[in-house]
C-alpha cells in the first residue's frame, strides 16, 4: 500500500510539471494508485486462484500451506451489555454523541 501512496505522490508532482500530452500517462497512474484497496483485493484473489490445484480426487487444493481451518460465515453476535468497557463508555453521554456523529459520517 505504501508503494501506491508513493506512486500517487510521484504522479501528482509530475502532473504539475509536464505538458498536457504527457499528462495522460501520469493521470492514469494516479487514478490506478487511488484504487489501491481494490487492487490489493484483486491481487489477493488472483494469488489464491493461481496457487490452487486440482487433486487426483477432484478437489481443489492450495499450493500454499495454511494453518488450521478457516470457518465459514460470521461469528455469533453477542450484545456488549455485559462488557466492562461498554459500562465505562455508556457512563459519559458525550461519548455516545461522538459515536453517533462518527457513525453517521462514515455511513
Amino acid at each position: 500500500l505504501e508503494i501506491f501512496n508513493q506512486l500517487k505522490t510521484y504522479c501528482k508532482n509530475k502532473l504539475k510539471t509536464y505538458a498536457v500530452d504527457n499528462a495522460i500517462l501520469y493521470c492514469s497512474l494516479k487514478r490506478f494508485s487511488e484504487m489501491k484497496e481494490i487492487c490489493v483485493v484483486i491481487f489477493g484473489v488472483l494469488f489464491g486462484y493461481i496457487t490452487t490445484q486440482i487433486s487426483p480426487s477432484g478437489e481443489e487444493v492450495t499450493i500454499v500451506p495454511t494453518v488450521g481451518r478457516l470457518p465459514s460465515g460470521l461469528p455469533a453476535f453477542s450484545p456488549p451489555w455485559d462488557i466492562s468497557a461498554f459500562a465505562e463508555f455508556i457512563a459519559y453521554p458525550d461519548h455516545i454523541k461522538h459515536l453517533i456523529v462518527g457513525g453517521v459520517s462514515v455511513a
Side-chain angles (χ1 to χ4, degrees):
L1 292 176
E2 182 60 29
I3 293 172
F4 282 103
N5 289 334
Q6 292 173 0
L7 177 64
K8 182 179 177 181
T9 305
Y10 176 77
C11 290
K12 280 172 53 175
N13 292 336
K14 290 293 183 181
L15 282 172
K16 292 177 184 176
T17 59
Y18 275 94
V20 176
D21 56 343
N22 290 336
I24 294 171
L25 172 68
Y26 291 113
C27 188
S28 301
L29 284 173
K30 182 176 174 260
R31 291 285 177 215
F32 177 73
S33 68
E34 289 172 347
M35 299 185 303
K36 60 185 167 274
E37 292 84 5
I38 295 172
C39 294
V40 168
V41 169
I42 290 171
F43 294 150
V45 169
L46 284 175
F47 178 80
Y49 182 75
I50 291 171
T51 58
T52 56
Q53 293 179 342
I54 304 295
S55 68
S57 62
E59 294 181 12
E60 290 184 353
V61 180
T62 60
I63 297 171
V64 179
T66 56
V67 178
R69 183 182 174 281
L70 298 175
S72 63
L74 297 173
F77 174 75
S78 61
W81 316 137
D82 56 347
I83 299 174
S84 62
F86 181 76
E88 294 173 16
F89 178 77
I90 200 78
Y92 299 101
D94 289 341
H95 290 282
I96 297 171
K97 285 192 274 187
H98 290 291
L99 176 71
I100 292 172
V101 169
V104 168
S105 65
V106 167

